[in-house]
Amino acid sequence: MTMVELLAPAGNFISLRAVLENGADAVYFGLDNFNMRANAKNFSLDDLSEVSQIASEYGAKTYLGTNIILNENLASRLESNLETISSSQIDGLILSDIGLIESTVSHGLEAHISVQENVTNSYTLKTLKKLGAKRAILSRELSLREVTEITEKSPIETEIFIHGAICMAISGRCFLSYGLYGRSANCGDCLQPCRKNWTLTYEEGEDNVINFSDVEDERFVITGSDDGSYRTNFFSPKDMCMIEYIPELIESGVASFKIEGRARSPDYGAMVTGIYREAIDSYQSDSLNYEVKNEWMEELTSVFNRGFDTNFYFNTPFETSEDNQSKYVKRDIGQVVNYYSRVKAAELRIWDDLKIGDKIIIQGRTTGSITHTIDSMQIEGEPVSSAEKGVNVAVAMPEKVRENDFVYKLVERNVDD
């Protein structure tokens, strides 16, 4: 059986620690000005050695995303930085420009080809092999059958996305944000206008047929308005979620499963990474008795999502997304004052009410992201069942947290929010 790599996103140091603590085999992250998530905090060249050091503590590999469209100036700057990147012990680069494969490899770095290259056949993979690439992320428009067939013929490793946001455009190459706002998705600066609610108008004709889809199970919703227009989210697909199909994905032979989400929160990365880690390990350790656990999907729906779909793996997706469909919202409610290792308790300064049974998230650069349900609280040494905002409260906490870590409370989301 193929031992597949679980590759998780890191938008900052907190996310980095969070996904590593939850079982990521490898992490990918961005460098300022060179990656597809300009709105994530990202890392500087000076941070890369620390990123490598942290990842090495977990035996994880590190891949630096440099996958924007490179003009002459950016390509030259990136090439001039390869010596520094290599000396930081980063394992590889995710490239959207095949012109930099040779330089990348010559500096002792693995060259992984970005999904932006839209690799859809084994012939491309054979050419990439000749150029020196070690891995290619396959197009997100492929079916699982096509992924399996291509991987069987591929002379290099293949990688696929298994969870997270899906772009409306072919492998993410879109001009909508640039056309409307001058902010280019292909340079990592997408403002996601596709996620908005759009209005359709018809200038002529009385044809009442709105949906031209040939899908028999009609769920492509366009809402009529009093002014004769129609509103829809038809540019915005649901998020990908493949947790129910881990066996099929592993048997396809791909080398790496990739979670999307560098711009999402550390608790999102921790949750999603942990769920897929458990599923992958469960199947690889005992495939004959493997079962999909209901709680996996329940947990995945508890963090930010736009509803779930299986993208193109089994059929052409046709359902559009709504806004965030998670069950909870995250409220900033406090900060860690101290952690007492001997009694395993954290002292929190809170600016919102807190009670036993509340679920909290504590996040910090070294702590990563820890989710905990409160089962014991004290104020000035006396047990309490609740604490009002403005006080310091001690909370039993089995995992170590640190001074100045952020504290959030998960609050059930109003469906009308």
Side-chain angles (χ1 to χ4, degrees), residues 2 81 124-125 137 140 210 290 299 354 413:
T2 302
N81 286 330
T124 300
L125 292 165
I137 298 93
R140 287 185 287 204
I210 305 302
Y290 175 81
E299 293 289 342
L354 200 61
R413 188 173 68 91

Side-chain angles (χ1 to χ4, degrees), residues 39-239:
N39 57 332
K41 184 174 178 60
N42 297 312
F43 298 90
S44 69
L45 277 172
D46 293 336
D47 290 330
L48 295 186
S49 291
E50 185 175 358
V51 171
S52 295
Q53 174 59 39
I54 293 171
S56 69
E57 295 173 14
Y58 298 85
K61 301 195 74 172
T62 48
Y63 308 133
L64 176 60
T66 58
N67 53 335
I68 62 170
I69 291 179
L70 297 173
N71 59 26
E72 186 68 18
N73 177 54
L74 285 173
S76 178
R77 284 173 54 197
L78 179 57
E79 185 176 42
S80 68
N81 286 330
L82 288 177
E83 185 65 38
T84 301
I85 294 170
S86 176
S87 66
S88 71
Q89 304 301 308
I90 294 297
D91 290 296
L93 263 62
I94 301 172
L95 298 167
S96 61
D97 196 317
I98 61 174
L100 286 174
I101 294 177
E102 184 178 2
S103 293
T104 296
V105 174
S106 70
H107 282 83
L109 296 160
E110 296 177 11
H112 295 194
I113 306 306
S114 169
V115 72
Q116 299 293 113
E117 277 293 326
N118 195 31
V119 175
T120 58
N121 59 69
S122 62
Y123 297 95
T124 300
L125 292 165
K126 291 170 184 175
T127 299
L128 292 173
K129 168 70 173 178
K130 294 176 183 178
L131 294 175
K134 180 176 181 180
R135 178 187 297 180
I137 298 93
L138 298 181
S139 168
R140 287 185 287 204
E141 289 71 44
L142 295 171
S143 68
L144 184 56
R145 178 186 59 79
E146 291 172 315
V147 167
T148 302
E149 182 180 5
I150 293 168
T151 299
E152 287 176 350
K153 298 177 181 178
S154 176
I156 63 176
E157 294 178 355
T158 58
E159 178 179 304
I160 57 174
F161 282 90
I162 60 168
H163 194 93
I166 298 297
C167 183
M168 60 171 283
I170 298 294
S171 286
R173 292 183 291 184
C174 179
F175 299 95
L176 187 60
S177 179
Y178 184 78
L180 292 175
Y181 310 116
R183 303 277 289 273
S184 175
N186 301 296
C187 291
D189 200 19
C190 184
L191 292 182
Q192 296 189 331
C194 59
R195 304 298 186 187
K196 306 297 183 182
N197 191 280
W198 287 75
T199 300
L200 300 177
T201 57
Y202 291 86
E203 294 184 359
E204 59 182 37
E206 298 181 355
D207 190 351
N208 291 323
V209 178
I210 305 302
N211 185 357
F212 298 100
S213 169
D214 60 0
V215 178
E216 293 182 3
D217 184 6
E218 295 290 1
R219 285 177 286 179
F220 188 98
V221 179
I222 299 180
T223 305
S225 301
D226 293 338
D227 61 4
S229 65
Y230 297 85
R231 288 177 171 80
T232 178
N233 291 89
F234 69 146
F235 284 138
S236 181
K238 289 188 174 184
D239 287 358

Side-chain angles (χ1 to χ4, degrees), residues 10-17 29 40-43 262 264 266:
N12 54 44
F13 276 106
I14 299 176
S15 293
L16 175 67
R17 186 74 69 169
F29 45 91
K41 184 174 178 60
N42 297 312
F43 298 90
R262 272 184 289 156
R264 294 193 179 180

Side-chain angles (χ1 to χ4, degrees), residues 280-295:
I280 292 168
D281 289 350
S282 177
Y283 181 73
Q284 291 188 324
S285 64
D286 187 4
S287 60
L288 294 179
N289 294 305
Y290 175 81
E291 292 182 358
V292 177
K293 296 181 180 179
N294 292 333
E295 54 263 36

